[in-house]
Amino acid sequence: MKILHTGDWHIGSFKGPERDGVNLRSFDTQKCLEKMVRVAETERPELALVSGDIFDKAARYDERVHREDLQARDIIMGLSKCCGKVIVMRGTPNHDSWGAFEELKAHFELVPNVEIVMTPQIIQTDQFDVAVLPGFDKGTFRAKCPGLGKEDEHEALTKELANVVLGLKAQCDSGKKSILMSHYTIPGCNTESGQVMMLTQFEPVLLPECLIAADFDLVAMGHIHRPQKLPNVENCYYSGAINSMTFSDEGQERGFWIHEYSADGWSRTFHQTPYREFVTFRFTDTDITAINRGNLDDVAFNWWRCNGGVQDRIVRILYTCSYENSKALNMALLEKAIYEDGAFYVAGIFPEKVDEVADRNDLSNTTDPEENLRQYLADKQYTEEQIQELVLKARPVIAQAEASMSLSAGTGIFEPVEIEVRNYRNYAEEHFSFENISFCTINGQNGAGKSSLFMDAIIDCLYEEPREGELTGWIRNDEKARSGSIIFTFRIGDKVFRVTRTRARSGKGTLNLSELVGGEWRNRSKEKQRDTQSEIINILGMDSLTFKSCALIMQDQYGLFLQAQKEDRMAILGNLLGLGVYEAMNKIAWDKAKAFGAKTRELKQEIGIHNATIKSYGDPTGEMKQAKADLQTKAEKAKEITKERDERKLELLSLQEAQERCNKLSESISSLTAKKTATGQNRGAQAEIIRNCR
């Protein structure tokens, strides 16, 4: 029995060239998938396993989704025509959205040999029972089980996955072979494919010991993009991605497996797809200097023309050079040369470190930062040329600052709904609801925890700025308390949100944002914790200082705004008036200035080292002149020897011609001598005949 094992198709558009509005790199994925279908048509496998991440982006918009859905349907239908059974499993939620798989399920509902699987279940075939364990959304788990610390959450999820695997195995028919197909990380796998290695102590994983205990006859995994066999689990394989996607995939093969089971056991073949290759060239200061001096052809020959290294590939250039060389580099000319030599796409020409400095500018009455800069420079009597040059330099800083600014996603009154804590300061567990309260006072002895629950807990949950200055400072002082949690629910207008923050004594923490929709909590967290924090600030429309100045007046901080430094007051007003972009611009420019200063010091140190090295070599200029003089003398001597050689060649040619004539004469003499001998013999014979006749 043959089993086709594939996954991580990542159908979608990637950064690259377009034609008629269609991303050409999507065609690369299509070619790889078509190659897989052609192999399936030849091999005729009884079972095809597609182990998740069919699509690349879960975020949907109509035109792209329609094209990608059609592409996925076409490939799955192609497999269904030449495979006995096709099982397509949902992968991670950030790639395979629930909606996309519902559409696939509806489309293939009347195709009897295609199964679209979104939840754990057993798919039965004549020879195999296939246990399917799709990916899941951790945010959904956190929304349903709030308050778990990072370690507790990891332990719970990993344990739950193990239970599901063992439960699925128990449902398999003991009289048939069994297969597990899933989409998780297994500790011990090789993740060198651009995916960040998930720390096994903080992320849910499929443990090898669980798979060994379940004892499936084949484990067909997706999620890790490098195709491989796991060394610590029998018959456990990752299919790998069908196509290369980023420069992190550079130098790695892509394709799919054909597993075959017979009476002699398992055998398998890896089929490579026509994936697009990535290549990176790292230019040195010498290369950039040569290009700036007009020797681009020499650099190109050294790097790629000698072996066709850019043909049909996605290329990027990373260079390290002096600031002056970087300014002088004609990137457009270099990119043009790469394209002319056959590159499919030039992804970019980037310095290893950006050494740019932009001038600081003041805030004027105009709301457009670029216009403010122009007006400020004009007031300082800069020329129009200088203004244009500085504006061009400032645009990246302005764009970066504007991109980093958050705009309030919610409008309406901010109202607390409830606060719940576990192992928080002097509270083991506590819960308080603000519902149906319009005015109240909280009374108690000093140190009882009034401010902790009704002020600190809210601030720590939303922003985590503990008064101790340490992130673990708010965990209850009890050796049994391994971690703590804060759950704060609030209302903005007609929307209700819940923020859940946990922190362990090890320092690790989680952050979850949920929204109450139709009576159910929906996960609104981002993939990264810092992005989730930005989303919280975006919903509230203010940072911590602004929040404490106008929304939650902290104890003994009633005059926080009036007592704050001028810069802090400006920051608060900037947030309220939407002028925080200038502070962001100032920070970005300051960071760039520091980076440039460090680079300048580094370059000065290198220059000093090079000057000392040159000095230790003596007088290279004088030695060069002497070497040139010696070279000239040797060149003249070589010219004389060449002339003498040519004369000897002419004399040799004459002798060779004479020898050839001599050889021809010798041949003629030999021929005539033989003829004379033959004639003499003939005359003797004739004389004998005459004598006999007489």
Side-chain angles (χ1 to χ4, degrees):
M1 180 176 180
K2 293 181 180 179
I3 301 170
L4 186 148
H5 173 205
T6 180
D8 292 282
W9 293 356
H10 289 277
I11 294 174
S13 299
F14 294 90
K15 188 176 180 182
E18 293 188 356
R19 183 187 301 149
D20 299 330
V22 179
N23 180 266
L24 296 185
R25 289 192 58 193
S26 64
F27 290 154
D28 293 339
T29 302
Q30 181 68 19
K31 290 177 183 177
C32 294
L33 293 170
E34 289 172 350
K35 167 70 180 295
M36 178 185 68
V37 173
R38 288 196 300 272
V39 172
E41 290 171 347
T42 302
E43 297 287 342
R44 312 298 294 186
E46 287 83 356
L47 189 59
L49 307 178
V50 185
S51 299
D53 280 3
I54 308 303
F55 303 101
D56 187 61
K57 291 182 176 65
R60 301 164 67 80
Y61 65 88
D62 293 341
E63 183 179 348
R64 175 180 63 80
V65 166
H66 178 67
R67 184 170 59 249
E68 293 172 3
D69 282 353
L70 290 177
Q71 191 174 358
R73 293 175 190 176
D74 183 59
I75 296 301
I76 296 171
M77 186 62 74
L79 290 175
S80 71
K81 294 177 181 178
C82 55
C83 301
K85 188 82 167 179
V86 180
I87 303 175
V88 182
M89 180 188 72
R90 184 184 179 221
T92 51
N94 58 321
H95 294 297
D96 292 341
S97 70
W98 188 269
F101 262 68
E102 282 185 328
E103 291 181 11
L104 284 179
K105 192 174 183 67
H107 180 79
F108 287 101
E109 188 174 4
L110 299 180
V111 182
N113 67 331
V114 174
E115 297 281 352
I116 306 297
V117 183
M118 304 163 66
T119 57
Q121 58 186 275
I122 301 293
I123 306 295
Q124 295 181 336
T125 68
D126 292 338
Q127 299 186 45
F128 285 89
D129 277 357
V130 183
V132 187
L133 178 58
F136 76 101
D137 187 355
K138 287 187 295 183
T140 301
F141 177 86
R142 290 169 181 167
K144 296 182 182 302
C145 304
L148 288 180
K150 198 73 171 177
E151 293 91 342
D152 294 334
E153 178 185 271
H154 159 69
E155 292 176 4
L157 291 177
T158 300
K159 183 178 179 180
E160 184 62 25
L161 286 177
N163 291 336
V164 173
V165 169
L166 295 174
L168 289 172
K169 174 63 176 180
Q171 297 178 46
C172 293
D173 188 343
S174 59
K176 293 193 293 187
K177 297 290 182 183
S178 59
I179 298 174
L180 172 67
M181 62 183 296
S182 190
H183 197 87
Y184 291 95
T185 298
I186 301 174
C189 67
N190 188 344
T191 60
E192 296 175 18
S193 62
Q195 297 164 304
V196 178
M197 177 56 187
M198 292 187 289
L199 301 176
T200 57
Q201 67 269 35
F202 298 118
E203 292 291 339
V205 294
L206 279 180
L207 296 174
E209 47 267 35
C210 166
L211 297 176
I212 294 171
D215 194 26
F216 285 93
D217 295 283
L218 174 66
V219 179
M221 299 296 297
H223 187 49
I224 302 302
H225 290 177
R226 180 186 285 272
Q228 59 189 284
K229 176 189 182 303
L230 261 71
N232 50 355
V233 181
E234 186 71 19
N235 288 328
C236 180
Y237 289 82
Y238 277 100
S239 63
I242 202 77
N243 185 29
S244 296
M245 286 167 276
T246 68
F247 279 94
S248 298
D249 300 336
E250 189 174 338
Q252 299 177 20
E253 63 181 0
R254 293 289 178 259
F256 57 94
W257 294 98
I258 295 287
H259 305 284
E260 186 169 3
Y261 181 76
S262 65
D264 298 328
W266 288 97
S267 63
R268 51 196 44 84
T269 305
F270 184 76
H271 292 267
Q272 200 171 93
T273 53
Y275 57 91
R276 180 78 62 185
E277 292 188 55
F278 288 77
V279 61
T280 301
F281 300 113
R282 284 180 164 81
F283 284 7
T284 64
D285 189 69
T286 302
D287 296 315
I288 303 301
T289 300
I291 293 172
N292 290 341
R293 291 179 178 176
N295 298 321
L296 174 57
D297 289 340
D298 294 338
V299 175
F301 180 83
N302 292 336
W303 280 101
W304 63 78
R305 286 182 185 168
C306 58
N307 58 7
V310 301
Q311 187 67 38
D312 293 327
R313 295 180 177 179
I314 298 174
V315 182
R316 70 173 173 180
I317 304 292
L318 301 179
Y319 64 87
T320 301
C321 67
S322 65
Y323 180 66
E324 291 74 16
N325 265 343
S326 179
K327 286 176 60 180
L329 177 62
N330 188 336
M331 295 187 184
L333 184 64
L334 177 56
E335 182 176 304
K336 181 173 179 289
I338 299 172
Y339 275 119
E340 289 176 347
D341 289 335
F344 170 76
Y345 177 61
V346 180
I349 302 170
F350 308 107
E352 294 282 5
K353 293 182 180 179
V354 178
D355 300 324
E356 292 181 321
V357 173
D359 288 338
R360 183 176 180 177
N361 57 87
D362 290 338
L363 173 65
S364 73
N365 294 327
T366 310
T367 58
D368 181 14
E370 185 173 317
E371 188 57 35
N372 284 332
L373 176 60
R374 289 182 181 276
Q375 182 176 336
Y376 173 79
L377 295 175
D379 292 343
K380 295 296 182 180
Q381 298 183 347
Y382 281 76
T383 65
E384 186 57 35
E385 262 186 32
Q386 291 172 321
I387 292 175
Q388 186 64 23
E389 181 181 357
L390 290 172
V391 167
L392 287 175
K393 289 183 178 181
R395 275 178 183 168
V397 175
I398 295 173
Q400 185 177 348
E402 289 179 334
S404 68
M405 296 305 297
S406 62
L407 299 175
S408 178
T411 57
I413 298 174
F414 168 80
E415 298 178 75
V417 176
E418 64 180 13
I419 183 75
E420 181 179 347
V421 297
R422 182 173 65 86
N423 290 332
Y424 180 79
R425 301 195 183 279
N426 56 336
Y427 290 98
E429 285 190 42
E430 189 58 74
H431 170 270
F432 184 85
S433 174
F434 295 88
E435 295 282 44
N436 302 320
I437 295 178
S438 59
F439 178 84
C440 71
T441 62
I442 309 297
N443 306 299
Q445 296 179 351
N446 290 339
K450 303 184 297 297
S451 299
S452 295
L453 183 62
F454 296 101
M455 292 187 178
D456 291 330
I458 294 175
I459 295 297
D460 286 340
C461 188
L462 295 177
Y463 302 101
E464 196 169 33
E465 295 180 356
R467 55 181 177 235
E468 297 86 355
E470 298 180 1
L471 294 180
T472 57
W474 54 263
I475 299 178
R476 189 165 66 99
N477 188 19
D478 185 339
E479 60 182 12
K480 296 181 180 179
R482 295 175 55 196
S483 62
S485 65
I486 317 170
I487 304 175
F488 178 54
T489 306
F490 61 91
R491 184 180 291 109
I492 290 282
D494 58 354
K495 294 184 177 181
V496 178
F497 296 93
R498 183 175 70 190
V499 177
T500 303
R501 190 183 296 273
T502 71
R503 181 65 62 182
R505 290 209 179 275
S506 62
K508 299 296 181 179
T510 66
L511 178 62
N512 178 257
L513 173 65
S514 303
E515 181 182 358
L516 187 62
V517 180
E520 291 186 0
W521 287 106
R522 301 288 180 85
N523 178 45
R524 295 292 184 260
S525 302
K526 303 299 181 182
E527 186 175 350
K528 297 180 179 178
Q529 187 166 320
R530 65 171 179 268
D531 295 333
T532 303
Q533 181 65 62
S534 298
E535 184 66 13
I536 293 171
I537 295 175
N538 181 41
I539 291 171
L540 293 172
M542 51 188 128
D543 61 10
S544 174
L545 183 59
T546 308
F547 187 82
K548 289 186 289 186
S549 297
C550 62
L552 178 63
I553 308 301
M554 301 289 288
Q555 183 178 3
D556 300 327
Q557 298 183 31
Y558 314 113
L560 182 63
F561 177 75
L562 297 176
Q563 297 169 3
Q565 297 292 326
K566 176 183 177 182
E567 292 78 9
D568 294 335
R569 292 202 302 272
M570 289 295 293
I572 295 171
L573 290 174
N575 284 331
L576 294 176
L577 301 176
L579 303 178
V581 64
Y582 296 98
E583 181 61 28
M585 288 166 56
N586 180 67
K587 184 180 184 306
I588 293 168
W590 180 250
D591 291 342
K592 288 180 178 290
K594 288 198 297 184
F596 180 79
K599 184 65 176 178
T600 301
R601 290 191 295 273
E602 181 182 334
L603 290 175
K604 286 181 177 179
Q605 185 177 5
E606 289 184 9
I607 290 171
I609 294 172
H610 292 323
N611 287 337
T613 303
I614 292 172
K615 188 175 181 180
S616 67
Y617 287 153
D619 182 15
T621 304
E623 293 174 4
M624 180 66 75
K625 288 181 179 179
Q626 182 60 45
K628 287 182 178 180
D630 294 343
L631 182 61
Q632 182 65 29
T633 302
K634 287 180 170 56
E636 292 175 356
K637 182 65 175 176
K639 188 175 181 181
E640 293 176 2
I641 294 173
T642 301
K643 181 179 179 183
E644 183 179 353
R645 182 202 63 190
D646 292 341
E647 291 174 353
R648 294 290 183 271
K649 286 176 66 176
L650 183 60
E651 183 179 348
L652 176 61
L653 183 61
S654 299
L655 290 173
Q656 288 175 340
E657 291 176 353
Q659 182 65 44
E660 289 178 2
R661 290 196 299 275
C662 179
N663 292 341
K664 288 180 180 180
L665 287 173
S666 296
E667 290 175 2
S668 298
I669 292 171
S670 298
S671 177
L672 289 173
T673 301
K675 187 175 181 181
K676 178 182 177 183
T677 302
T679 303
Q681 292 174 350
N682 187 39
R683 287 181 62 187
Q686 294 295 329
E688 183 62 29
I689 292 170
I690 293 171
R691 193 165 44 251
N692 291 336
C693 289
R694 286 178 179 168

